Amino acid sequence: MGVHRRRITSYIPSTIIVVFLFTQVVLHFGTIQAEDGSVVFGGLGVSLRTKGEDRGPLVCNPLAGSRSQQTDKDIDLIISHSDASGAVRVSSVKARDLSSSWVWKNPIVEDHEKMNSAQDSFQPPVRYEDTNKNSVEENQTGESGIFHTHMPPMDPIKLQRRILRHQRRDLRAAELIRQDKEMGDQLEAAAIERSKGLDTTVKGKYSIWRRDFENPNSDATVKLMRDQVIMAKSYASIAKGKNETGLYDSLIKLSRESTRALGEATSDAELLPSAVEQAKAMGHILSVAKEKLYDCVILARKLRAMIQSTEENVNAEKKRSAFLIQLAAKTVPRPLHCLPQLLMANYYLQSLQTKGFANKEKLEDPSLYHYAIFSDNVLAASVVVNSTVLNANEPGKHVFHIVTDKLNFAPMKMWFFVNPPGTAVAEVLNIDDFKWLNSSYCPVLRQLESAEMKEYYFKANNPSTLTVGSDNLKYRNPKYLSMLNHLRFYLPEVYPKLEKVLFLDDDIVVQKDLTPLWSVDMKGMVNGAVETCKESFHRFDKYLNFSNPKISDNFDPNACGWAFGMNMFDLKEWKKRDITGIYHRWQEMNENRTLWKLGSLPPGLITFYNLTYPLDRSWHVLGLGYDPALNQTEIENAGVIHYNGNYKPWLDLAIVKYKPYWSRYVSFDSPYLQLCKITE
């Protein structure tokens, strides 16, 4: 029965071909009792049995490089296959005739090892005792003739590590679940809290289901209807010229109805339901007008005329708006007019003009913190003083020097008499008592009294229209006529015994202790201020006329501007450098206003040119009187906030969201404010 290896290999290809072509190959396993069990020969369904006890199947692998020990035994291999004609053929071969390239393997053992390794990666932690017990049971079951893999006991250290890994994994999963739940609860609570603050009085105002949020072109219908109105007016003008009376009347009627339907709507959600039907009707009449009247040249001419007319109307409205804003900013509201009158009446009724001033020794003490406030607004000045004192670490070391005009001297003095600033000191002076401040010494005072300046301010020609008198409207503010606005250039004359003074405008609010400013080393500079230039904005060329050689030869147009409102002045350096003399020289050169327009900032930039020390921006934040888009964090962290601009916090024009920063320092419980109906 000896079969050579050549013969075996000759059967293999034919068997494979038959399997793929006919798929009816039947492989029969011969059984030969052998010591080590059965084997599969070459993967072709060959069964090997040795004479001996049955220990399981073996695999004969032709790709291995060594001979198994089973080849030394007398093993018969019986092979069954189908030939090309379909007939079943049986042949046999001796195991000893196989070459050394055949290796004997037990496939069941390999399968068990693979399964066990896979189970190890997913197997839940078990006790060591249970593992040993299972191994014993498997050995006993294997002896009865059922093949099981013998599982050796696992190392206790490895088992303990596995258990710890599973425990850590479970703890981490529980922690992640807990964190996820807490985060979800926090988000839910925050969403509920935000929803309480929403104003739902306007239907759909904050609803995320509005069409505004679904459609990126939420104002498409509004724009369409506006375009239709423009085209209807154009075609109506053409129809009137061609005696199309019926079409003209229809276009005018529908344009009026569309205008009423639009109203002040800015989005489609604000339109009435009938607006869509109105747009359809307008579209129909426009199509009819296009068929009858369309002429590209004529229509283009009409549209150009409409654009020109609209631009003229816009410019007129801008001038009107600027005039009204200036008028509102200059007009004193009735409550603010009532307050000084009431204070003045009580001042003279109580004969306070004869009373002396306490704490005079503090007024000229250079070791204290001195403030200069020049104002004719009692309420504004009180807020500056209150906010400074309330935020000061040592209020008793602060001295306020308030200078006002003759009209407001009695009311200002009465206010601080009945509302003293705690342990701080507030001195009120009358600018008319400064006898040295006269037209012979002060150029700007001489210019304000000139006929040319009166002509510029009051327009002796009495312009009949707003347009004629609108030139430089901004500079016709009465504050430019007041010497209180220019008194800041005479600080050494006003306070001859002081070394440092912090100048504060009356439209500011103090939010922090300002005493660290006295410790700032200004490197020999006279003025400490916050710079306002950002990129190309607020530089010298914005304030000065660089077409004049007097300006262009002496100053850099890109030099950074700074702000009045909170300025630390070193009066020692001021006197050394004769700052007031510099101011006088430039003020005299600008008598005809060719170097700069009116105001105190342009001459300030010139006077303190290269003599200004830049303070940190957080000390002074500007723009609360005109810019509604300031950074809220910067405002809250600022040492001083400044309402520069027309929208002062005591006016109805004030920007609403900025007003609480100012009103929190107003003494609304004062009987004077209550009598004048000054409320929050």
Side-chain angles (χ1 to χ4, degrees), residues 507 564 621-627 642-648:
D507 55 353
F564 274 124
V621 172
L622 299 101
L624 280 76
Y626 68 89
D627 188 357
H642 195 170
Y643 292 83
N644 57 312
N646 289 322
Y647 305 141
K648 302 299 183 185

Side-chain angles (χ1 to χ4, degrees), residues 368-383:
L368 301 179
Y369 307 111
H370 295 268
Y371 300 85
I373 304 172
F374 305 148
S375 174
D376 58 359
N377 188 325
V378 176
L379 189 61
S382 71
V383 169

Side-chain angles (χ1 to χ4, degrees), residues 7 16 72 75 129 150 238 313 409 506 532 563 613 621 630:
R7 186 176 178 182
I16 295 174
D72 296 332
I75 301 175
E129 294 81 2
H150 176 73
I238 298 173
N313 292 335
F409 174 71
D506 62 357
T532 57
Y613 178 81
V621 172
L630 293 176

Side-chain angles (χ1 to χ4, degrees), residues 587-608:
Q587 194 70 50
E588 289 172 353
M589 285 190 286
N590 192 48
E591 187 171 2
N592 55 0
R593 299 181 307 281
T594 57
L595 304 183
W596 69 83
K597 298 296 182 181
L598 294 177
S600 58
L601 181 57
L605 296 176
I606 290 176
T607 302
F608 297 102

Side-chain angles (χ1 to χ4, degrees), residues 368-369 371 388 391-395 397-398 502 510 512-520 568 619:
L368 301 179
Y369 307 111
Y371 300 85
T388 306
N391 289 287
N393 294 333
E394 297 177 295
K397 293 185 177 181
H398 294 256
L502 184 64
V510 178
K512 290 182 179 179
D513 181 34
L514 300 182
T515 54
L517 288 171
W518 273 263
S519 302
V520 174
M568 176 60 70
W619 279 114

Side-chain angles (χ1 to χ4, degrees), residues 332-340 676-678:
V332 179
R334 180 178 295 179
L336 293 183
H337 185 65
C338 162
L339 180 62
C676 291
K677 298 181 180 180
I678 299 176

Side-chain angles (χ1 to χ4, degrees), residues 1-5 51 67-68 70-77 93-100 102 104:
M1 294 182 63
V3 180
H4 295 287
R5 183 179 179 184
K51 294 178 182 180
R67 180 189 291 233
S68 175
Q70 303 302 326
T71 58
D72 296 332
K73 298 189 180 182
D74 189 10
I75 301 175
D76 291 333
L77 283 74
V93 65
K94 289 291 186 179
R96 64 174 176 266
D97 295 331
L98 298 177
S99 66
S100 60
W102 297 92
W104 303 89

Side-chain angles (χ1 to χ4, degrees), residues 280-468:
K280 292 180 180 178
M282 178 64 84
H284 176 71
I285 193 64
L286 285 176
S287 63
V288 174
K290 183 178 180 180
E291 292 178 359
K292 292 185 177 181
L293 307 173
Y294 182 75
D295 187 314
C296 184
V297 176
I298 297 177
L299 187 60
R301 189 183 302 121
K302 292 292 182 184
L303 290 175
R304 280 196 296 270
M306 291 178 65
I307 291 173
Q308 184 177 358
S309 175
T310 303
E311 288 178 350
E312 292 176 356
N313 292 335
V314 169
N315 291 332
E317 289 299 324
K318 283 182 178 179
K319 292 180 180 179
R320 179 179 176 83
S321 175
F323 174 79
L324 293 176
I325 290 175
Q326 291 293 334
L327 181 63
K330 291 183 291 186
T331 304
V332 179
R334 180 178 295 179
L336 293 183
H337 185 65
C338 162
L339 180 62
Q341 287 183 331
L342 192 60
L343 289 168
M344 181 183 292
N346 286 342
Y347 177 80
Y348 288 107
L349 285 174
Q350 298 181 25
S351 301
L352 294 180
Q353 66 272 21
T354 59
K355 291 188 177 182
F357 184 81
N359 298 319
K360 283 188 176 181
E361 67 281 358
K362 290 186 176 182
L363 298 179
E364 296 179 346
D365 187 352
S367 65
L368 301 179
Y369 307 111
H370 295 268
Y371 300 85
I373 304 172
F374 305 148
S375 174
D376 58 359
N377 188 325
V378 176
L379 189 61
S382 71
V383 169
V384 176
V385 174
N386 288 347
S387 62
T388 306
V389 172
L390 290 175
N391 289 287
N393 294 333
E394 297 177 295
K397 293 185 177 181
H398 294 256
V399 181
F400 298 91
H401 304 271
I402 303 169
V403 181
T404 186
D405 55 15
K406 185 177 181 180
L407 183 64
N408 291 281
F409 174 71
M412 191 78 73
K413 200 160 187 178
M414 182 65 187
W415 174 267
F416 286 102
F417 178 78
V418 297
N419 298 284
T423 57
V425 177
E427 175 195 26
V428 179
L429 300 175
N430 184 358
I431 192 173
D432 290 342
D433 293 337
F434 300 153
K435 302 303 180 182
W436 49 266
L437 192 64
N438 50 57
S439 57
S440 61
Y441 174 67
C442 179
V444 70
L445 189 60
R446 184 169 60 253
Q447 292 170 9
L448 290 174
E449 294 175 352
S450 66
E452 184 182 359
M453 189 66 68
K454 292 178 181 178
E455 170 71 14
Y456 178 78
Y457 264 105
F458 301 106
K459 281 290 181 181
N461 295 331
N462 295 324
S464 57
T465 64
L466 176 64
T467 304
V468 174

